[in-house]
Amino acid sequence: MADTNRDGLDELTNSAMAASRIAKILQAAQAAGAAGAAAQTVKEFHRQAAVVIIVILLLPILLILSLPSVIFGSLITPSDTVLTDELEVAENVITIKNNIAGILQTSYEAVLEEIAQDSQGRYSTEIVDEVGGHVTFNALQILSMYCAHMGTEDYADISIENLTEAVRSHRDDYYSYTTETESRTELVDKVVNGTLIQVPETHEYTTYTVTYAGDAYFADTIWQLSEQEQAFAADYAYSLTLYLRQIEQQEGISILEQINDLTADSTVPVAEGDFGNPFNDPAWRQHITSRFGLRPDVGLPGKDTTNHNGLDIAYGYGTPILAVQSGTVITATVSPSYGNYVVIDHGGGICTLYAHCSRLLVSVGQAVNKYDTIAEVGSTGDSTGNHLHICVIVNGQYTDPETYLH
């Protein structure tokens, strides 16, 4: 009986705390509009991603104010303000990310082309590329800065198209390069009157350094946000990241169920021999950036851990991804979280999944051998940089890939 009373008291206490938190969020909304509501939501529930979602869904008006139609798209209508399809939310965010990435990539490549033209006829040139060969940016932060800039007065104008056009209008400013020329006197071999001699010559060595203006450029120059607006954007990006993490976990479960359905009656012969690694590189473990299982949630201060269902391995954009063992491709598609991904059935209840690819090079039903090229490294889906997210599924469960990969 005492336990029952204790449980009942705990439930009342939790309900009272939740009600108090919701009241504070409503008060913040009345006092400071969308910015106050979003900031107070983060403050009250910053350790509880699921609760943040529940609170937002209980407050349809706050839902629109703090997560506008640029994200929810066709899900929001004047007569229906309740979120109905979380995957479409993720898809809209990925569309935004891809639009921004396309503009930044074009800008980056234009700078490289300028350097190529300028370097023609020069004695010796070198490029120091601080960008790293492929654009990397925080799409959620840029989206949040945009929403903070638009505010609630211009709410009707908020759209993916409007955001894309704002980013495109500054496309010539994101990447730039500096040129440094150094004169060096060197001894060079020359034949004079049939005799090989060394004579001094002065040559110019040119170094081009490529830089990115940084994500702060959007806040400081494009939208010229105040300190208050920048604080709102940071809180907003935090809330949205929490929200998408929840969707990503749900999608991981859904994809696992799909794989289990596809392999329920598998006739793929069991692969023989040890598994390799997806790059056939003896030093591949040195490229691991995040391991399987619970890990610190570096991207979300205040949130302790994330349950990571695979292994992240960082290689450059376009690096070939190889099948770690022979098998049959059972999935080659795209999803909001994983981006372009491939699943291979290796028989014996074992499958591998390769996510965030820039390109897929195989199709469903195709037989592959160990170390066949199946895709290329990228940053599609919910990703902040070029890497491969690889999962190993054994008898329907995500398993630590390092147990199998060699």
Side-chain angles (χ1 to χ4, degrees):
M1 187 68 175
D3 290 341
T4 302
N5 289 338
R6 179 72 257 172
D7 292 341
L9 181 59
D10 288 344
E11 184 176 347
L12 287 172
T13 301
N14 291 337
S15 298
M17 290 175 62
S20 173
R21 287 170 168 174
I22 292 172
K24 290 179 182 178
I25 293 169
L26 286 171
Q27 290 170 359
Q30 292 172 345
Q40 190 67 28
T41 299
V42 173
K43 181 177 179 181
E44 296 296 328
F45 295 104
H46 71 284
R47 287 182 178 272
Q48 299 162 274
V51 177
V52 171
I53 297 170
I54 292 171
V55 170
I56 291 175
L57 291 178
L58 288 175
L59 301 170
I61 292 180
L62 281 182
L63 177 70
I64 290 182
L65 288 176
S66 61
L67 295 172
S69 61
V70 68
I71 302 166
F72 288 96
S74 63
L75 301 177
I76 300 297
T77 66
S79 61
D80 179 13
T81 59
V82 179
L83 176 62
T84 57
D85 187 341
E86 291 177 336
L87 285 184
E88 187 170 339
V89 174
E91 288 171 356
N92 286 347
V93 172
I94 297 307
T95 297
I96 292 167
K97 177 190 171 186
N98 290 341
N99 285 358
I100 296 173
I103 295 168
L104 294 183
Q105 185 70 23
T106 299
S107 173
Y108 170 60
E109 291 174 356
V111 167
L112 295 183
E113 179 59 30
E114 285 183 31
I115 292 174
Q117 293 180 3
D118 186 80
S119 64
Q120 292 181 5
R122 292 182 180 266
Y123 178 77
S124 176
T125 61
E126 176 188 6
I127 297 177
V128 177
D129 190 353
E130 296 182 356
V131 178
H134 188 66
V135 300
T136 299
F137 60 97
N138 188 330
L140 298 186
Q141 187 67 31
I142 293 173
L143 168 60
S144 300
M145 292 173 185
Y146 163 72
C147 291
H149 166 73
M150 297 297 287
T152 54
E153 294 182 2
D154 297 324
Y155 173 76
D157 295 328
I158 290 177
S159 68
I160 294 177
E161 292 74 19
N162 182 276
L163 168 60
T164 302
E165 183 53 39
V167 175
R168 183 181 292 113
S169 66
H170 290 258
R171 62 181 176 270
D172 295 333
D173 303 326
Y174 299 126
Y175 298 93
S176 59
Y177 68 91
T178 58
T179 305
E180 183 177 346
T181 301
E182 177 186 6
S183 296
R184 302 176 189 174
T185 300
E186 305 166 309
L187 294 176
V188 297
D189 292 337
K190 282 196 173 183
V191 177
V192 178
N193 296 326
T195 302
L196 179 64
I197 63 173
Q198 288 189 320
V199 296
E201 283 190 0
T202 300
H203 299 124
E204 288 190 345
Y205 287 76
T206 304
T207 301
Y208 299 93
T209 302
V210 183
T211 57
Y212 171 49
D215 292 354
Y217 180 86
F218 293 86
D220 297 336
T221 303
I222 297 181
W223 293 308
Q224 300 180 3
L225 301 185
S226 66
E227 290 186 7
Q228 182 179 8
E229 289 171 333
Q230 289 192 43
F232 165 56
D235 288 339
Y236 182 55
Y238 181 97
S239 293
L240 184 54
T241 302
L242 284 175
Y243 190 91
L244 291 176
R245 287 284 171 84
Q246 184 76 6
I247 294 176
E248 182 179 355
Q249 290 177 5
Q250 293 173 357
E251 189 179 10
I253 294 171
S254 174
I255 288 175
L256 183 62
E257 292 174 347
Q258 294 171 18
I259 292 172
N260 291 341
D261 289 342
L262 289 170
T263 57
D265 301 315
S266 175
T267 58
V268 176
V270 178
E272 297 181 359
D274 292 336
F275 279 57
N277 67 75
F279 299 99
N280 195 17
D281 177 4
W284 70 275
R285 292 182 188 274
Q286 297 177 15
H287 294 260
I288 294 174
T289 56
S290 185
R291 288 185 153 83
F292 177 83
L294 291 177
R295 60 177 180 174
D297 206 329
V298 179
L300 291 171
K303 189 173 184 296
D304 297 327
T305 57
T306 300
N307 194 18
H308 195 219
N309 67 6
L311 192 67
D312 289 348
I313 311 173
Y315 277 81
Y317 181 84
T319 301
I321 299 170
L322 314 178
V324 299
Q325 183 56 286
S326 62
T328 300
V329 177
I330 58 173
T331 302
T333 187
V334 62
S335 80
S337 297
Y338 285 161
N340 297 322
Y341 75 98
V342 174
V343 180
I344 299 175
D345 180 3
H346 303 289
I350 302 177
C351 295
T352 51
L353 182 152
Y354 311 76
H356 304 309
C357 308
S358 59
R359 283 204 308 160
L360 304 183
L361 304 176
V362 292
S363 55
V364 173
Q366 182 175 337
V368 296
N369 295 315
K370 182 178 178 180
Y371 290 143
D372 280 354
T373 300
I374 58 173
E376 295 176 353
V377 169
S379 187
T380 57
D382 187 6
S383 167
T384 57
N386 298 310
H387 74 286
L388 168 66
H389 174 82
I390 183 169
C391 300
V392 175
I393 298 114
V394 180
N395 296 324
Q397 299 294 325
Y398 290 113
T399 304
D400 186 352
E402 288 191 81
T403 304
Y404 287 82
L405 305 183
H406 299 94

